[in-house]
Amino acid sequence: MAARIELGDGTQLDAPPRSGGADGQPVIFGTRPEHLTLVDAGGIPAHVVVMEPTGMDTFIACRHEGVDLSAVFRERHDFAPGSTIHLLPDLQARTCSMRAPASASRPDCARCLFPTSIHD
């Protein structure tokens, strides 16, 4: 069975390939803004804070359970602040997944988004 990542609110995602870890182990899981895909349901529910068209891209500043995150899309979107979108990380991309520091309540790595638990 493939490992799963569980976010603080109970949202579960597939873990990146070869991520290792042990059941219940705290990890830091994150992905780059361009490695998030918009999906209709599932994934990470995120509340839109700011939507900014930037030339060819659309930058979205979001929040999930008090954690700020960013997404960048090549296509145009018209999200209203306060709306909820669902984001799915590309697990084949360079995803950061490592053991969480025991003393840290938030990730130190700027690319990392969520303190989580991993489940096999």
Side-chain angles (χ1 to χ4, degrees):
M1 178 186 274
R4 309 261 306 153
I5 300 289
E6 184 177 73
L7 305 181
D9 70 340
T11 298
Q12 291 194 8
L13 305 167
D14 290 333
R18 301 171 303 282
S19 58
D23 188 34
Q25 173 188 346
V27 297
I28 295 173
F29 175 77
T31 189
R32 298 186 56 82
E34 63 270 19
H35 295 156
L36 291 168
T37 301
L38 189 64
V39 293
D40 291 331
I44 302 164
H47 300 284
V48 175
V49 177
V50 174
M51 186 195 76
E52 181 179 348
T54 59
M56 293 180 59
D57 299 329
T58 302
F59 171 82
I60 310 292
C62 307
R63 187 164 288 132
H64 173 80
E65 297 295 316
V67 177
D68 295 328
L69 60 137
S70 303
V72 175
F73 303 111
R74 295 281 180 214
E75 62 277 353
R76 292 283 180 211
H77 294 284
D78 192 23
F79 304 124
S83 63
T84 299
I85 60 175
H86 295 263
L87 302 170
L88 190 63
D90 178 355
L91 299 179
Q92 301 306 315
R94 303 177 112 208
T95 304
C96 178
S97 181
M98 65 191 107
R99 180 170 292 141
S103 62
S105 61
R106 296 283 304 259
D108 294 332
C109 174
R111 295 181 310 201
C112 295
L113 304 177
F114 304 104
T116 63
S117 294
I118 189 166
H119 299 275
D120 284 324

